[in-house]
Amino acid sequence: MSNFNPSLADFEAMLNETLPAEGGFDGQVVKGKVVSIENDFAIIDIGLKAEGRVPLKEFAAPGAQAEIAVGDDVEVFVERVENALGEAILSRDKARREEAWETLEKSFEGDARVNGVIFGRVKGGFTVDLNGAVAFLPGSQVDIRPIRDITPLMNIKQPFQILKMDRRRGNIVVSRRAVMEEDRAGQRAELLGKLKEGDTVDGVVKNITDYGAFVDLGGIDGLLHVTDISWRRVNHPSEVLTVGETVKVQVVRINPETQRISLGMKQLADDPWDGIDAKYPVNAKFKGTVTNITDYGAFVELEAGVEGLVHVSEMSWVKKNVHPGKIVSTSQEVDVMILEVDPSKRRISLGLKQCGENPWDAFSAKYPAGTEIEGEVKNITEFGLFIGLDGDVDGMVHLSDLDWDRSGEEAIQDFKKGDVVKAVVLDVDVSKERISLGIKQLSGDPFANVKDRKKGETVTCVVKAVNENGIEVEVGDTGMTAFIRRGDLARDRGDQRPERFAVGDKVDAMITGTDRSSRKVNLSIKALEVAEEKAAVEQYGSADSGASLGDILGAALEKAKSGE
């Protein structure tokens, strides 16, 4: 074997063959060995007496301790080598990042999920460590629903979907929500395939609204409407349910197109409306509790899940046009009568006033027609007076029953609200809750004294008034007045002058007719004179005998005076 004594030039050539060109390690990921651990740093030998220091935290995942020991082989990124025998500037993070980017690009191209750890907060979202590469997680992509506290989701490994990545700029955007929605869609499809209408399942109340509650059935939500919570009235779902509560529900309806599920709780209990008409027969009385008051009446609960309506018209016999809230109050216990039951429409009509005495019946029994009563004028209308009576009922005096002789419009001027007046009960209609009264009937009907008088009868009258068209007279002592027209005041036209008569004069007249509908008596002095003349001529002579009419009448008068 020949002796080899290398020269300085030979040594330099050998060294150049072993070492890469100047800067050959720079920007590369190389394998190294941990030769020691000093003060939170790992000393890494990358070969050829080149060593570098790497912080231990770069070997740990976010929120975890570094697991590294002397002798371990690791990959590091060489930022630069100071000189051939000097210290190297190394980075484990950059090595992991370079490796991660290659893996992430493949996942992004294949639309595959990647695992990462949320480790920090930034404006608009959070930072995620994807095995060395740092990605941005927008706040809207954290969960399907907004989350107030994300702390429980930090520093734990979980799957993400890459939405966008740009290696040149070093940007990666990920979504946790996309993963959840995909999983949820799979669970939803699987669960929908198993569920069918009528199934009974357990669920957890996730959210409560004014109109109901959303119940999680294990990956899919169903709506439990407020009307399906209980057979009884529920004003707000929070009265019965709380968020997080586990409830047993029935699948009421599944819409295959929208994949919406309607749930019910009351369907799991017996329907209290079954056989309702037998439990609550018409005209029977029951106790109930007022649950709700509206402008048109009050709802009364007869039992849990069974309510009936007391219409405002059935609340009081005498209080009309009054808000139901002034008659009953919520939670008040009341006696009601069943008026009508409609099982198909799930409606019960109730009566409150029917459980008390009917004041119209009581009034009719106490004050039959013809009874004289007294009361205060409560109201005056264009068609009559309303008078307050016993039992808080009102009676009405129609315009036509105010006065025998004057028109109602004229007679009503004599009254004002608050006046205490007397009247006669004319009729009581209990079914229509109507009492008819009369004031003119207090004095009797003057027409009754003359209505049966026959046409042609003679009556003695007293002049009550004189005007240019005739005279107003009282017929005998009946109290009935009549009007004798100017043309009926005398047979001779020259004597048909009203001024011939004075108030208080007594005159005889003939009844020429009576009108029951208008309650009028027609009188005529002329007709009486003509009749008397005719009778005298028939008895004492005729115009042919040569005697004058004056002679004939004179003879008749003389005979009447002598009593012949």
Side-chain angles (χ1 to χ4, degrees), residues 359-369 371-373 390-391 425 428:
W360 309 96
D361 278 331
F363 187 90
S364 178
K366 188 175 181 180
Y367 303 102
T371 306
E372 185 176 317
I373 53 93
D390 285 352
V425 177
V428 180

Side-chain angles (χ1 to χ4, degrees), residues 38-75:
E38 303 173 356
N39 299 325
D40 296 330
F41 284 90
I43 310 301
I44 310 296
D45 179 9
I46 60 172
L48 300 176
K49 298 183 180 181
E51 295 180 350
R53 297 159 57 85
V54 180
L56 289 178
K57 65 181 181 181
E58 292 192 16
F59 292 92
Q65 295 293 324
E67 296 182 1
I68 189 172
V70 175
D72 287 350
D73 290 329
V74 295
E75 288 186 343

Side-chain angles (χ1 to χ4, degrees), residues 231 266-274:
W231 289 111
K266 71 180 185 182
Q267 288 79 359
L268 299 176
D270 292 336
D271 186 352
W273 284 82
D274 289 342

Side-chain angles (χ1 to χ4, degrees), residues 219-263:
I220 184 171
D221 289 352
L223 174 62
L224 175 61
H225 196 270
V226 63
T227 56
D228 287 313
I229 293 176
S230 174
W231 289 111
R232 69 184 307 166
R233 178 187 293 272
V234 176
N235 295 315
H236 196 276
S238 58
E239 297 175 3
V240 181
L241 304 171
T242 56
V243 174
E245 177 186 2
T246 299
V247 293
K248 192 174 292 293
V249 292
Q250 184 181 92
V251 178
V252 177
R253 186 168 52 257
I254 299 176
N255 189 324
E257 295 180 0
T258 61
Q259 294 190 339
R260 289 182 179 175
I261 301 175
S262 298
L263 305 175

Side-chain angles (χ1 to χ4, degrees), residues 145-177:
R145 290 187 176 87
I147 297 179
R148 293 183 180 179
D149 184 13
I150 197 176
T151 303
L153 298 178
M154 297 184 70
N155 300 319
I156 59 173
K157 185 170 287 189
Q158 52 193 313
F160 295 89
Q161 189 77 39
I162 299 176
L163 301 181
K164 182 174 63 174
M165 66 184 303
D166 185 340
R167 187 165 187 174
R168 185 174 61 83
R169 295 184 179 181
N171 290 338
I172 305 176
V173 180
V174 296
S175 171
R176 178 175 176 269
R177 175 178 178 172

